[in-house]
Amino acid sequence: RALAERTLEKRFVQHSEMSLVDFKVTIDGPDGPQEPEIPDQSYKIVDDETIEFSDLTIAAGEGRPERLKRSFTSIENSIKFESDQEGAEENTLKNESGLAGKSVLFTWNSEAEKFEVEWFEDKGDDALLEPMVEDADFRGWLPGKNVDDGDSWTIPAAEFHNLQEPSGPMGYHPADADEEAESNAEEARPEVKGELKATYKGTRDEDGVKVGVIAIEGKLSTLTERELKQGDGPSAQEATEFTTELEGELLWDLTAGHFHSLRCDGAQTLESTQTSSFAIGESSITLKQVRTLEGKKTYRFSCK
């Protein structure tokens, strides 16, 4: 049972590096498909994110709080594009969130069996509230029953979203954009396929705290499809498949009933396919570009 009037300070740090490993172009026209030679390209995308917030349980509930206030103290996100091409310049995009410095209130609706969320003594973009997630303790990763050393269970694949976006999407927009810039908070989360397996490894002392040790491993994938507008030119269809192999551990504070820390490493692959069709005279041309990136990601989460 969650303890009322308890405040937990939570910190979520993610670091991702992905490099281009393959780029292919196919042009399909009246003479059939052709694959022109493409000059070698080399670039890397580095994504860093740190989110810090405090969770104050105002009213306790069974297995979850009844009312919880979440105050975002720091939200930092930057994406850096690096290239070893001659003359290429390093470019860094810094993002901001309309949640930074604000508080929200989660209230459990027993009839709807879900949390309702609203601004707490603050005002902001209501679109940021709809996709927010109360469970930032990874309760959905627990087995829901008593386990012994060596027992294993399957974590729902959809819980991968809460690893990627603790508390839900931050609704990022470029820092140099207008204040009214649209956020991406309302974008639908793609379906997650694959399996995430957990194994209980017993207990140990961590920073003077008795924790349950849960080993995590699995392979997961998502597929996102969207239409890209290209100025006055023809629009393109983009399909992005993301695959990751994860390994790490979740430490659970057995006395206080919340996560103590989560450390996880992932090997990841992203394949992006853009397809566009247009006419030249009486001929129809289809252009297909496939980019493959590979890299790694680390998750370092803590709670106290």
Side-chain angles (χ1 to χ4, degrees):
R1 183 180 177 90
L3 299 178
E5 299 301 324
R6 178 181 69 179
T7 299
L8 299 177
E9 304 289 342
K10 300 177 180 180
R11 189 168 191 262
F12 306 88
V13 179
Q14 301 188 39
H15 174 78
S16 169
E17 296 183 7
M18 299 196 77
S19 299
L20 181 70
V21 295
D22 193 29
F23 178 38
K24 293 181 180 179
V25 175
T26 304
I27 302 174
D28 195 355
D31 299 326
Q34 301 178 39
E35 291 189 8
E37 286 192 20
I38 303 298
D40 289 340
Q41 297 188 20
S42 176
Y43 63 84
K44 181 167 71 172
I45 303 174
V46 181
D47 192 334
D48 282 293
E49 179 184 69
T50 299
I51 300 173
E52 297 178 338
F53 56 77
S54 62
D55 278 350
L56 168 62
T57 301
I58 298 174
E62 291 296 336
R64 68 175 73 85
E66 290 289 335
R67 297 179 71 214
L68 180 138
K69 173 190 173 185
R70 176 163 297 160
S71 300
F72 293 90
T73 53
S74 177
I75 301 175
E76 298 178 359
N77 176 260
S78 66
I79 304 174
K80 181 166 62 176
F81 301 89
E82 302 175 352
S83 175
D84 60 8
Q85 299 290 332
E86 186 175 350
E89 295 184 1
E90 184 179 291
N91 181 32
T92 300
L93 171 66
K94 291 190 176 182
N95 288 315
E96 292 182 346
S97 169
L99 292 164
K102 296 184 178 180
S103 298
V104 298
L105 178 67
F106 292 94
T107 303
W108 179 250
N109 184 324
S110 57
E111 293 185 2
E113 293 190 343
K114 67 176 184 178
F115 279 97
E116 296 176 347
V117 59
E118 59 186 314
W119 296 106
F120 186 91
E121 298 178 353
D122 280 311
K123 291 183 179 180
D125 182 0
D126 288 345
L128 295 168
L129 301 178
E130 180 63 26
M132 291 196 70
V133 177
E134 176 277 329
D135 180 13
D137 272 315
F138 307 98
R139 296 192 303 269
W141 295 38
L142 302 181
K145 61 180 180 180
N146 292 330
V147 291
D148 296 322
D149 291 6
D151 286 352
S152 297
W153 64 94
T154 299
I155 299 171
E159 286 290 329
F160 176 61
H161 288 308
N162 292 338
L163 180 68
Q164 293 283 85
E165 299 175 318
S167 190
M170 293 291 100
Y172 288 125
H173 59 264
D176 56 1
D178 295 336
E179 187 174 341
E180 299 299 323
E182 290 187 10
S183 72
N184 62 3
E186 293 184 297
E187 290 185 2
R189 286 176 157 187
E191 180 184 0
V192 182
K193 295 183 178 181
E195 183 176 89
L196 193 57
K197 180 182 176 182
T199 302
Y200 187 60
K201 297 291 187 177
T203 65
R204 74 168 183 245
D205 182 271
E206 189 81 9
D207 303 324
V209 177
K210 184 180 180 181
V211 299
V213 181
I214 300 172
I216 303 160
E217 62 178 356
K219 184 174 182 179
L220 303 164
S221 66
T222 62
L223 176 64
T224 305
E225 298 178 311
R226 62 173 180 165
E227 182 178 2
L228 298 177
K229 301 295 184 181
Q230 304 185 112
D232 295 331
S235 62
Q237 303 299 318
E238 181 183 62
T240 302
E241 184 174 13
F242 175 81
T243 303
T244 183
E245 293 189 51
L246 298 170
E247 185 174 358
E249 65 178 18
L250 169 67
L251 303 185
W252 187 264
D253 188 325
L254 295 171
T255 301
H258 60 77
F259 97 97
H260 178 272
S261 64
L262 188 153
R263 296 174 61 89
C264 195
D265 297 319
Q268 52 190 8
T269 300
L270 184 148
E271 183 175 277
S272 174
T273 302
Q274 291 185 14
T275 306
S276 58
S277 298
F278 52 92
I280 298 181
E282 296 182 355
S283 300
S284 177
I285 307 294
T286 298
L287 175 65
K288 182 178 179 181
Q289 304 177 68
V290 181
R291 292 177 175 84
T292 304
L293 294 90
E294 294 179 351
K296 60 184 180 180
K297 184 166 185 176
T298 58
Y299 307 82
R300 299 293 184 265
F301 301 167
S302 61
C303 175
K304 61 181 181 180

